[in-house]
């Protein structure tokens, strides 16, 4: 597994403390909340930043505008966008038919792929397979990276991972070591784990795939009944936006499961 820095990572000359109104103390608060770089701050709203950093909205707005200026966020030509899309990578599902349904190459990075269906329909198995295949060389349909597996229902099975790895002729123990597993026990913990993924990537972990099995189990259990539907959807929507931002910022593939 090779380690490479994300293409969109900001150079060392631009740090959070380079922004107006963001001193070391505020930067430390932001990092504790999972905001480590200019991109993370640039996509925030002034009210969110103000609440998180304990500053006024005017200061927050000025810092966000400065970050966006340094990041050169805005419109680009279709030609430039095409160039940016060239770093998208794909992870094979191991099935030519299923890869075909996904566009021909498998699950792509900078995107969320969802598998939904009844219990026992193979959603978790596909997650296991992708967690193994992401470690393959690019010419074999992999991304030469590690996988993060967020297990919300106790579905992760190391023995199954080993079987899939052995079927590919890979070293089972080595493959298992390259899958980072976390068991989440509630929706807040599940959300917190996304911040942990950002921290791991910053520390050099070559993570190329996030698997969440399943996406909504905790949200359904904690927000039951029509009276809590709006709260549940709001929290879930925020989580999905955070997940999508992580996928785009670090060029990751995301695979989530959901029951019908």
């Amino acid at each position: 597994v090779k380690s490479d820095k994300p293409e969109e990572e900001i150079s060392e000359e631009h740090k959070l403390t380079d922004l107006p109104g963001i001193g070391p103390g505020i930067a430390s608060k932001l990092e504790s909340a999972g905001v480590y770089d200019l991109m993370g701050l640039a996509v925030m709203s002034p009210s969110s930043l103000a609440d998180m950093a304990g500053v006024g909205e005017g200061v927050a707005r000025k810092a966000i505008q400065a970050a966006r200026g340094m990041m050169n966020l805005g419109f680009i030509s279709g030609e430039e966008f095409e160039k940016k899309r060239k770093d998208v990578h794909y992870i094979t599902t191991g099935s030519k038919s299923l890869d075909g349904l996904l566009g021909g190459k498998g699950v792509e990075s900078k995107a969320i792929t969802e598998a939904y269906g009844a219990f026992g329909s193979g959603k978790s198995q596909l997650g296991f397979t992708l967690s193994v295949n992401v470690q393959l060389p690019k010419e074999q349909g992999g991304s030469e990276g590690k996988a993060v597996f967020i297990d919300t229902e106790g579905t992760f099975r190391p023995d199954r991972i080993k079987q899939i790895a052995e079927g590919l002729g890979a070293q089972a123990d080595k493959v298992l070591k390259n899958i980072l597993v976390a068991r989440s026990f509630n929706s807040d913990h599940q959300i917190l784990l996304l911040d942990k993924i950002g921290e791991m990537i910053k520390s050099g972990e070559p993570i190329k795939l996030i698997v969440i099995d399943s996406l909504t189990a905790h949200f359904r259990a904690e927000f039951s009944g029509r009276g809590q539907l709006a709260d549940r959807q709001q929290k879930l929507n925020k989580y999905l936006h955070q997940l999508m931002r992580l996928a785009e910022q670090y060029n990751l593939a995301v695979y989530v499961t959901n029951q019908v």
Side-chain angles (χ1 to χ4, degrees), residues 85-86 88-109 130 133 138 140-143:
R85 287 283 299 169
K86 285 182 178 175
V88 168
H89 56 88
Y90 298 85
I91 305 165
T92 180
T93 63
S95 162
K96 286 185 179 180
S97 299
L98 192 49
D99 282 351
L101 288 173
L102 294 168
K105 298 179 182 178
V107 172
E108 71 175 56
S109 66
L130 290 169
N133 290 350
K138 291 181 180 178
Q140 292 180 32
S143 297

Side-chain angles (χ1 to χ4, degrees), residues 6-69:
E7 183 185 295
E8 296 176 24
E9 188 173 64
I10 311 307
S11 65
E12 286 300 316
E13 61 188 278
H14 293 312
K15 300 176 181 177
L16 289 173
T17 49
D18 294 330
L19 300 171
I22 307 296
I26 293 174
S28 180
K29 276 187 186 178
L30 291 172
E31 288 174 1
S32 297
V35 179
Y36 305 100
D37 51 26
L38 297 190
M39 174 60 89
L41 189 142
V43 296
M44 294 180 73
S45 67
S47 58
S48 296
L49 178 57
D51 290 342
M52 189 181 292
V55 298
E57 283 204 26
V59 173
R61 189 174 289 107
K62 192 176 288 187
I64 289 169
Q65 287 172 347
R68 289 173 179 173

Side-chain angles (χ1 to χ4, degrees), residues 1-249:
V1 174
K2 294 193 297 187
S3 175
D4 53 0
K5 290 186 177 180
E7 183 185 295
E8 296 176 24
E9 188 173 64
I10 311 307
S11 65
E12 286 300 316
E13 61 188 278
H14 293 312
K15 300 176 181 177
L16 289 173
T17 49
D18 294 330
L19 300 171
I22 307 296
I26 293 174
S28 180
K29 276 187 186 178
L30 291 172
E31 288 174 1
S32 297
V35 179
Y36 305 100
D37 51 26
L38 297 190
M39 174 60 89
L41 189 142
V43 296
M44 294 180 73
S45 67
S47 58
S48 296
L49 178 57
D51 290 342
M52 189 181 292
V55 298
E57 283 204 26
V59 173
R61 189 174 289 107
K62 192 176 288 187
I64 289 169
Q65 287 172 347
R68 289 173 179 173
M70 290 179 186
M71 289 292 300
N72 195 25
L73 296 178
F75 290 100
I76 59 173
S77 70
E79 185 181 30
E80 287 176 287
F81 188 83
E82 183 184 34
K83 288 176 184 175
K84 289 186 78 174
R85 287 283 299 169
K86 285 182 178 175
D87 70 337
V88 168
H89 56 88
Y90 298 85
I91 305 165
T92 180
T93 63
S95 162
K96 286 185 179 180
S97 299
L98 192 49
D99 282 351
L101 288 173
L102 294 168
K105 298 179 182 178
V107 172
E108 71 175 56
S109 66
K110 296 189 178 181
I112 299 173
T113 302
E114 178 188 30
Y116 62 91
F119 176 80
S121 57
K123 304 183 298 297
S124 297
Q125 297 301 315
L126 179 53
F128 298 157
T129 302
L130 290 169
S131 298
V132 174
N133 290 350
V134 69
Q135 302 176 43
L136 294 171
K138 291 181 180 178
E139 59 271 18
Q140 292 180 32
S143 297
E144 300 176 8
K146 292 186 178 184
V148 167
F149 197 106
I150 298 177
D151 180 3
T152 70
E153 299 182 286
T155 53
F156 188 76
R157 296 290 180 270
D159 54 334
R160 186 70 187 110
I161 295 289
K162 286 185 173 183
Q163 287 174 353
I164 295 168
E166 287 165 357
L168 293 172
Q171 289 183 308
D173 289 336
K174 187 177 179 181
V175 167
L176 195 57
K177 194 174 181 180
N178 286 327
I179 302 173
L180 309 169
V181 188
R183 177 81 161 93
S184 76
F185 294 98
N186 56 49
S187 61
D188 287 327
H189 186 203
Q190 189 174 332
I191 292 167
L192 177 66
L193 288 170
L194 293 191
D195 292 336
K196 290 290 182 186
I197 293 170
E199 287 177 22
M200 289 191 292
I201 292 170
K202 286 289 181 184
S203 67
E205 289 285 7
I207 295 166
K208 294 295 180 184
L209 170 71
I210 299 172
V211 176
I212 304 175
D213 188 26
S214 72
L215 175 68
T216 59
H218 289 319
F219 293 89
R220 284 199 311 267
E222 293 167 27
F223 298 88
S224 57
R226 287 189 178 183
Q228 292 185 294
L229 183 60
D231 291 337
R232 183 184 79 181
Q233 292 306 98
Q234 186 177 17
K235 192 172 185 180
L236 184 58
N237 186 46
K238 187 177 179 181
Y239 179 67
L240 284 169
H241 274 80
Q242 191 178 351
L243 192 58
M244 190 67 233
R245 191 169 71 193
L246 200 62
E248 290 181 345
Q249 187 173 353

